[in-house]
Amino acid sequence: MKVRILDVNYIIDGKLSVTSTKMFYEQRNKDEMRSIHYEVQLNNQRFRSKASDVTEFAIKNLQKELPTNISIACCQSCRHGNFCPYGDDDDEVYCLKDKKPNSKGDVVELFSTQDKSMKSRSRKLLDFCNDYKIMAHTEYYTYNDWGL
């Protein structure tokens, strides 16, 4: 089992903080991990996610273990973070902060037109920037299943 220490952004009682979080995984080959799970110590309590062979689900599993006053603030949980409708690599999401998709069709069109900016929009799921906005599926369309 390998361990990587990541600085992850959390919103705790409405305040943003960065906390070291351990990512445990087995390396299948150079590009493939399995049995991914996360551990973090917050408010004197240790939280551990259920393992998954997919980074997206391992992160979601960690969020499920956290109390309701703590949420992970990252590209995966951001309203600008959209998945590629044609499939994406593990641990990949695309920032569409300057685009305003209203439907899956809008996202499909962005990816199908071979928009040259798409490569530069690629982010890791736990990345974070100052343009972070909490995902609100009822207010903004995001092609991403966080929180559903």
PDB file of all heavy atoms in Angstrom, residues 24 33-37 49-59 61:
ATOM      1  N   PHE A  24      -4.326   6.617   0.398  1.00  0.00           N
ATOM      2  CA  PHE A  24      -3.747   5.277   0.371  1.00  0.00           C
ATOM      3  C   PHE A  24      -4.190   4.603  -0.927  1.00  0.00           C
ATOM      4  O   PHE A  24      -5.353   4.741  -1.339  1.00  0.00           O
ATOM      5  CB  PHE A  24      -4.258   4.451   1.558  1.00  0.00           C
ATOM      6  CG  PHE A  24      -3.835   4.975   2.891  1.00  0.00           C
ATOM      7  CD1 PHE A  24      -4.584   5.936   3.548  1.00  0.00           C
ATOM      8  CD2 PHE A  24      -2.674   4.504   3.502  1.00  0.00           C
ATOM      9  CE1 PHE A  24      -4.206   6.427   4.785  1.00  0.00           C
ATOM     10  CE2 PHE A  24      -2.283   4.987   4.733  1.00  0.00           C
ATOM     11  CZ  PHE A  24      -3.048   5.947   5.378  1.00  0.00           C
ATOM     12  N   MET A  33      -4.318   2.970 -10.435  1.00  0.00           N
ATOM     13  CA  MET A  33      -4.347   2.713  -9.001  1.00  0.00           C
ATOM     14  C   MET A  33      -5.601   1.920  -8.667  1.00  0.00           C
ATOM     15  O   MET A  33      -6.572   1.932  -9.412  1.00  0.00           O
ATOM     16  CB  MET A  33      -4.367   4.027  -8.220  1.00  0.00           C
ATOM     17  CG  MET A  33      -3.139   4.874  -8.404  1.00  0.00           C
ATOM     18  SD  MET A  33      -3.176   6.378  -7.411  1.00  0.00           S
ATOM     19  CE  MET A  33      -4.459   7.308  -8.216  1.00  0.00           C
ATOM     20  N   ARG A  34      -5.570   1.254  -7.515  1.00  0.00           N
ATOM     21  CA  ARG A  34      -6.759   0.564  -7.020  1.00  0.00           C
ATOM     22  C   ARG A  34      -6.777   0.641  -5.505  1.00  0.00           C
ATOM     23  O   ARG A  34      -5.801   1.060  -4.889  1.00  0.00           O
ATOM     24  CB  ARG A  34      -6.830  -0.875  -7.520  1.00  0.00           C
ATOM     25  CG  ARG A  34      -5.728  -1.745  -6.993  1.00  0.00           C
ATOM     26  CD  ARG A  34      -5.835  -3.124  -7.593  1.00  0.00           C
ATOM     27  NE  ARG A  34      -4.826  -3.944  -6.936  1.00  0.00           N
ATOM     28  CZ  ARG A  34      -4.989  -5.177  -6.585  1.00  0.00           C
ATOM     29  NH1 ARG A  34      -6.107  -5.797  -6.842  1.00  0.00           N
ATOM     30  NH2 ARG A  34      -4.025  -5.840  -5.999  1.00  0.00           N
ATOM     31  N   SER A  35      -7.892   0.275  -4.939  1.00  0.00           N
ATOM     32  CA  SER A  35      -8.075   0.320  -3.479  1.00  0.00           C
ATOM     33  C   SER A  35      -7.710   1.692  -2.917  1.00  0.00           C
ATOM     34  O   SER A  35      -7.011   1.788  -1.911  1.00  0.00           O
ATOM     35  CB  SER A  35      -7.261  -0.777  -2.800  1.00  0.00           C
ATOM     36  OG  SER A  35      -7.679  -2.041  -3.224  1.00  0.00           O
ATOM     37  N   ILE A  36      -8.209   2.732  -3.562  1.00  0.00           N
ATOM     38  CA  ILE A  36      -7.917   4.110  -3.153  1.00  0.00           C
ATOM     39  C   ILE A  36      -8.838   4.479  -1.993  1.00  0.00           C
ATOM     40  O   ILE A  36     -10.049   4.288  -2.065  1.00  0.00           O
ATOM     41  CB  ILE A  36      -8.181   5.089  -4.318  1.00  0.00           C
ATOM     42  CG1 ILE A  36      -7.405   4.666  -5.567  1.00  0.00           C
ATOM     43  CG2 ILE A  36      -7.849   6.522  -3.908  1.00  0.00           C
ATOM     44  CD1 ILE A  36      -7.944   5.268  -6.850  1.00  0.00           C
ATOM     45  N   HIS A  37      -8.247   4.986  -0.937  1.00  0.00           N
ATOM     46  CA  HIS A  37      -9.066   5.559   0.135  1.00  0.00           C
ATOM     47  C   HIS A  37      -8.297   6.703   0.789  1.00  0.00           C
ATOM     48  O   HIS A  37      -7.084   6.829   0.629  1.00  0.00           O
ATOM     49  CB  HIS A  37      -9.525   4.509   1.153  1.00  0.00           C
ATOM     50  CG  HIS A  37      -8.455   3.994   2.045  1.00  0.00           C
ATOM     51  ND1 HIS A  37      -7.655   2.923   1.715  1.00  0.00           N
ATOM     52  CD2 HIS A  37      -8.064   4.391   3.274  1.00  0.00           C
ATOM     53  CE1 HIS A  37      -6.803   2.691   2.698  1.00  0.00           C
ATOM     54  NE2 HIS A  37      -7.026   3.563   3.654  1.00  0.00           N
ATOM     55  N   SER A  49     -12.341   7.032   4.355  1.00  0.00           N
ATOM     56  CA  SER A  49     -13.319   6.674   3.321  1.00  0.00           C
ATOM     57  C   SER A  49     -13.261   5.180   3.026  1.00  0.00           C
ATOM     58  O   SER A  49     -12.254   4.522   3.283  1.00  0.00           O
ATOM     59  CB  SER A  49     -13.038   7.453   2.027  1.00  0.00           C
ATOM     60  OG  SER A  49     -11.854   6.994   1.410  1.00  0.00           O
ATOM     61  N   LYS A  50     -14.329   4.687   2.435  1.00  0.00           N
ATOM     62  CA  LYS A  50     -14.329   3.331   1.906  1.00  0.00           C
ATOM     63  C   LYS A  50     -13.457   3.335   0.662  1.00  0.00           C
ATOM     64  O   LYS A  50     -13.379   4.335  -0.049  1.00  0.00           O
ATOM     65  CB  LYS A  50     -15.746   2.897   1.548  1.00  0.00           C
ATOM     66  CG  LYS A  50     -16.629   2.733   2.758  1.00  0.00           C
ATOM     67  CD  LYS A  50     -18.023   2.323   2.343  1.00  0.00           C
ATOM     68  CE  LYS A  50     -18.902   2.248   3.578  1.00  0.00           C
ATOM     69  NZ  LYS A  50     -20.305   2.033   3.259  1.00  0.00           N
ATOM     70  N   ALA A  51     -12.821   2.228   0.389  1.00  0.00           N
ATOM     71  CA  ALA A  51     -11.921   2.124  -0.758  1.00  0.00           C
ATOM     72  C   ALA A  51     -12.700   1.996  -2.062  1.00  0.00           C
ATOM     73  O   ALA A  51     -13.815   1.477  -2.096  1.00  0.00           O
ATOM     74  CB  ALA A  51     -10.992   0.934  -0.592  1.00  0.00           C
ATOM     75  N   SER A  52     -12.089   2.489  -3.121  1.00  0.00           N
ATOM     76  CA  SER A  52     -12.635   2.388  -4.470  1.00  0.00           C
ATOM     77  C   SER A  52     -11.475   2.273  -5.455  1.00  0.00           C
ATOM     78  O   SER A  52     -10.367   2.730  -5.167  1.00  0.00           O
ATOM     79  CB  SER A  52     -13.473   3.625  -4.802  1.00  0.00           C
ATOM     80  OG  SER A  52     -13.917   3.559  -6.146  1.00  0.00           O
ATOM     81  N   ASP A  53     -11.743   1.690  -6.595  1.00  0.00           N
ATOM     82  CA  ASP A  53     -10.728   1.631  -7.647  1.00  0.00           C
ATOM     83  C   ASP A  53     -10.782   2.851  -8.555  1.00  0.00           C
ATOM     84  O   ASP A  53     -10.036   2.959  -9.520  1.00  0.00           O
ATOM     85  CB  ASP A  53     -10.892   0.357  -8.482  1.00  0.00           C
ATOM     86  CG  ASP A  53     -10.525  -0.897  -7.698  1.00  0.00           C
ATOM     87  OD1 ASP A  53      -9.828  -0.785  -6.671  1.00  0.00           O
ATOM     88  OD2 ASP A  53     -10.934  -2.001  -8.116  1.00  0.00           O
ATOM     89  N   VAL A  54     -11.677   3.798  -8.230  1.00  0.00           N
ATOM     90  CA  VAL A  54     -11.850   5.019  -9.013  1.00  0.00           C
ATOM     91  C   VAL A  54     -11.685   6.215  -8.071  1.00  0.00           C
ATOM     92  O   VAL A  54     -12.371   6.301  -7.054  1.00  0.00           O
ATOM     93  CB  VAL A  54     -13.245   5.054  -9.688  1.00  0.00           C
ATOM     94  CG1 VAL A  54     -13.442   6.319 -10.488  1.00  0.00           C
ATOM     95  CG2 VAL A  54     -13.451   3.815 -10.545  1.00  0.00           C
ATOM     96  N   THR A  55     -10.801   7.129  -8.406  1.00  0.00           N
ATOM     97  CA  THR A  55     -10.523   8.288  -7.551  1.00  0.00           C
ATOM     98  C   THR A  55     -11.788   9.086  -7.262  1.00  0.00           C
ATOM     99  O   THR A  55     -12.026   9.505  -6.126  1.00  0.00           O
ATOM    100  CB  THR A  55      -9.460   9.189  -8.204  1.00  0.00           C
ATOM    101  OG1 THR A  55      -8.295   8.404  -8.470  1.00  0.00           O
ATOM    102  CG2 THR A  55      -9.084  10.346  -7.310  1.00  0.00           C
ATOM    103  N   GLU A  56     -12.612   9.307  -8.273  1.00  0.00           N
ATOM    104  CA  GLU A  56     -13.853  10.075  -8.102  1.00  0.00           C
ATOM    105  C   GLU A  56     -14.698   9.517  -6.956  1.00  0.00           C
ATOM    106  O   GLU A  56     -15.196  10.251  -6.106  1.00  0.00           O
ATOM    107  CB  GLU A  56     -14.656  10.038  -9.404  1.00  0.00           C
ATOM    108  CG  GLU A  56     -16.057  10.591  -9.279  1.00  0.00           C
ATOM    109  CD  GLU A  56     -16.933  10.298 -10.492  1.00  0.00           C
ATOM    110  OE1 GLU A  56     -16.434   9.810 -11.532  1.00  0.00           O
ATOM    111  OE2 GLU A  56     -18.143  10.557 -10.386  1.00  0.00           O
ATOM    112  N   PHE A  57     -14.860   8.210  -6.933  1.00  0.00           N
ATOM    113  CA  PHE A  57     -15.707   7.592  -5.914  1.00  0.00           C
ATOM    114  C   PHE A  57     -15.025   7.559  -4.553  1.00  0.00           C
ATOM    115  O   PHE A  57     -15.691   7.685  -3.525  1.00  0.00           O
ATOM    116  CB  PHE A  57     -16.153   6.206  -6.353  1.00  0.00           C
ATOM    117  CG  PHE A  57     -16.997   6.240  -7.593  1.00  0.00           C
ATOM    118  CD1 PHE A  57     -16.603   5.557  -8.731  1.00  0.00           C
ATOM    119  CD2 PHE A  57     -18.161   6.986  -7.647  1.00  0.00           C
ATOM    120  CE1 PHE A  57     -17.363   5.609  -9.884  1.00  0.00           C
ATOM    121  CE2 PHE A  57     -18.929   7.047  -8.798  1.00  0.00           C
ATOM    122  CZ  PHE A  57     -18.534   6.347  -9.927  1.00  0.00           C
ATOM    123  N   ALA A  58     -13.703   7.426  -4.532  1.00  0.00           N
ATOM    124  CA  ALA A  58     -12.981   7.457  -3.254  1.00  0.00           C
ATOM    125  C   ALA A  58     -13.149   8.817  -2.578  1.00  0.00           C
ATOM    126  O   ALA A  58     -13.352   8.900  -1.364  1.00  0.00           O
ATOM    127  CB  ALA A  58     -11.500   7.134  -3.473  1.00  0.00           C
ATOM    128  N   ILE A  59     -13.105   9.892  -3.368  1.00  0.00           N
ATOM    129  CA  ILE A  59     -13.302  11.240  -2.819  1.00  0.00           C
ATOM    130  C   ILE A  59     -14.745  11.403  -2.332  1.00  0.00           C
ATOM    131  O   ILE A  59     -14.990  11.920  -1.245  1.00  0.00           O
ATOM    132  CB  ILE A  59     -12.933  12.318  -3.861  1.00  0.00           C
ATOM    133  CG1 ILE A  59     -11.433  12.259  -4.177  1.00  0.00           C
ATOM    134  CG2 ILE A  59     -13.330  13.715  -3.365  1.00  0.00           C
ATOM    135  CD1 ILE A  59     -11.010  13.064  -5.387  1.00  0.00           C
ATOM    136  N   ASN A  61     -16.645   9.049  -1.354  1.00  0.00           N
ATOM    137  CA  ASN A  61     -16.767   8.220  -0.149  1.00  0.00           C
ATOM    138  C   ASN A  61     -16.239   8.948   1.079  1.00  0.00           C
ATOM    139  O   ASN A  61     -16.798   8.809   2.170  1.00  0.00           O
ATOM    140  CB  ASN A  61     -16.031   6.891  -0.326  1.00  0.00           C
ATOM    141  CG  ASN A  61     -16.731   5.957  -1.298  1.00  0.00           C
ATOM    142  OD1 ASN A  61     -17.902   6.136  -1.618  1.00  0.00           O
ATOM    143  ND2 ASN A  61     -16.006   4.976  -1.783  1.00  0.00           N
TER     144      ASN A  61
END
